Amino acid sequence: VASAPDAVPEPAQISPALLHRSLHQQPYKVTSAKGLYLTLSDGRVVMDACGGAAVACLGHGNEEVLAAVTAQMSTGVSYLHSLTYTTDVAEDLAHHIIDGPHGAGRYGLERAYFVNSGSEAMDAALKLARQYFFEKGEPRRTRFVSRKQSYHGTTVGAMNVSSNLPRKVPYANFQSENFSWVTPAYAYQYSNWEAGETEAEFAERLVEELDLHIRTLGPGSVIAFIAEPLVGATSGCTPAPKGYFRGVRDVCDKHGVLLILDEVMCGMGRTGTLFAFEQEDIVPDIMTMGKGLGGGYSPVAGVLVHKKIVDVLRKGTSSFNHGHTYQAHPVGCAATLAVQRILRREGLVENVARLGRWLYPFLLETFGSAKYVGDIRGRGLFWGIEFVGDKVTRAPFPPAVGFGVRYQATCFELGVAVYPGSGTVDGKKGDHAILSPPYNVSEVELRRIVEVMKKAYD
Ligand code: PLP
C-alpha cells in the first residue's frame, strides 16, 4: 500500500526535446504500473485513484489486454486504411457495443464510429449532426447550443462548443455566432438555493431557458444541443437534477434539434450503467465515448449514431464527409474489445454501481462536516468533492489560493493520485477533486484512498 516518504524528492526532469503540456511544471515520470499502482522513477509508489482523467477503468498492466494486442499485431494486420479495408476486430468491437442485451442498439443507436480521442469524437458528432440536416434539405441549421462551464475537447470544433473560458482565450479567432451556451445543470453553484429554489424548480427553469434560447436564435437555425449527462472535469462529477434531461429531450424534439450527449468521461460504466444516459430516461441522437472505452490501453474514442441519422445519410448524396487515417485502428480495436469483454464478463459495471452505493456514505461520513467541503456528488465510481472558501455562501476560494491544485499535490505526496479542478469559471466554480478509480478496485483499497484524501485535507 502506498505510503508517504519522509522527504518528497523533486519530480524527474524531462527532456527539453519534449513539448510537454505545461512548460512551467515538471510532470512526474512513471516507469511501471500494475493494477491500481504507479511506480515513479524515484521509486515511490502511488495509488492511481483517478485513472488519469477517469480513463484506466481496468487499472494498469492487464495481461489479457496485452495478449489481445500481441495477438492482433502477430496477424501482421496492425494498420489498414479504413476507407478501403475493414477487419474482424473492428467489426467485433462495433457488434459488442451495439448488439445484445447490453448493447446501444436497444436504444436505436445502431452504428459505432471509432476515432482516436474524445475531441475527435466530438468533432465527428458535430459534423454528423450538421450533415444530417444538410442531407435533409435544411442547410439553414448552423448553430450549436451547449452549456456554460463545459469541456468537450481541445480540437477546434470541440473547443468551440466548450465553454471552458480560460483555455479559449488565445483562440477567439476560431469562434463564431454559431456557438452559444446556456446555464449548466450544476445545482450547487447555479440554483437559486438562497431563495429556496428546489432541484425540481431549478431543472424546470433550465429547461425553459433552453426553450427560450432556441426560440430566440430562431427555430430552424439550431442543429443540436450538447451536454455531458454527468459533468466531469469542469465541475467535478455533477449529475443533473432529476427531470432535467427529460425536459431537455422534449425541448429538442419540439424544435427538431438533435441531442448530442458527451459521455467521453462519464460513459462506459463509470457511473454504474454502461451508458450514463440510461439513468436519465432519455435516448440521445448521437453519443460520444472515450476514456473508459479503451481503458487507456489504446488511444480510442467513438461515436454512437441513432438510426434516424444513419437512414438520412444512407439516402443522401454523399457518405459521411469525414475520416481519420487511424480510424478503427486494428490494434486499438483489439485492446478496446479486450477491455470491454473483461468489463462484461467480470460484471465490473455492476461492481461500479455496488461500490458507489458504499462509497457515497463513506465520503459523507469522512468529509461531510469538513469546514471547506461544500458538496460531495457523483455516481458509481465517479465522485467530486467541491471545496469552497465559505460553506454558508458557497463562495469559492479566490483563484490565487489554488486550493484544488495544492490539494492534489498533497494527496500525491501522501501516495494517492486524484484528478484536480481549480480556477474560477464565470465566477461560480469552487475547487474540486475527482475520485475515479478502476472498476475492479477493492473496498479495502477505496477505504485507504479516502483516508489518505482526508489526511491530505487535514
Ligand atoms: N469530452 C469530455 C467530457 C471530456 O472530459 C474530454 C476530455 O477530458 C473530452 C471530451 C476530450 O477528450 P480527449 O482529451 O480524449 O480529446
Side-chain angles (χ1 to χ4, degrees), residues 117-331:
S117 69
S119 304
E120 286 174 31
M122 285 308 296
D123 275 18
L126 302 179
K127 287 173 76 174
L128 265 168
R130 163 66 191 173
Q131 199 179 329
Y132 166 75
F133 285 115
F134 181 84
E135 303 290 358
K136 271 183 75 177
E138 294 185 56
R140 278 186 54 254
R141 288 195 190 252
T142 56
R143 297 180 190 272
F144 291 99
V145 180
S146 42
R147 303 186 298 184
K148 289 180 191 148
Q149 210 155 325
S150 58
Y151 181 68
H152 298 292
T154 201
T155 49
V156 172
M159 175 185 72
N160 277 354
V161 292
S162 302
S163 167
N164 191 313
L165 300 178
R167 274 203 181 195
K168 291 169 71 164
V169 167
Y171 311 115
N173 62 314
F174 290 116
Q175 290 292 299
S176 85
E177 63 182 21
N178 286 327
F179 304 97
S180 57
W181 301 272
V182 292
T183 305
Y186 177 4
Y188 183 71
Q189 289 291 1
Y190 286 84
S191 68
N192 290 331
W193 56 273
E194 301 100 317
E197 187 179 48
T198 64
E199 289 230 333
E201 287 162 350
F202 177 52
E204 209 180 305
R205 175 160 67 82
L206 297 193
V207 169
E208 279 167 15
E209 180 191 335
L210 177 65
D211 187 31
L212 179 64
H213 188 83
I214 293 174
R215 282 189 280 124
T216 309
L217 290 174
S221 77
V222 179
I223 294 174
F225 176 64
I226 298 137
E228 275 181 276
L230 201 135
V231 180
T234 48
S235 56
C237 307
T238 321
K242 207 168 164 27
Y244 168 81
F245 274 107
R246 184 65 263 161
V248 161
R249 179 73 266 186
D250 292 344
V251 167
C252 288
D253 290 344
K254 185 168 100 181
H255 296 294
V257 167
L258 296 178
L259 177 60
I260 299 177
L261 291 184
D262 177 349
E263 295 211 6
V264 167
M265 198 165 185
C266 64
M268 304 317 289
R270 178 55 65 195
T271 64
T273 47
L274 188 59
F275 308 112
F277 73 74
E278 292 175 286
Q279 297 178 49
E280 302 296 347
D281 183 30
I282 52 149
V283 173
D285 300 302
I286 299 177
M287 191 204 100
T288 55
M289 52 194 173
K291 302 189 192 282
L293 174 63
Y297 287 90
S298 66
V300 70
V303 186
L304 297 180
V305 193
H306 197 276
K307 182 178 180 335
K308 84 180 200 198
I309 296 172
V310 178
D311 286 347
V312 167
L313 258 62
R314 199 186 280 123
K315 287 189 208 125
T317 49
S318 61
S319 51
F320 180 34
N321 236 338
H322 192 71
H324 293 281
T325 297
Y326 292 129
Q327 184 177 326
H329 189 279
V331 179

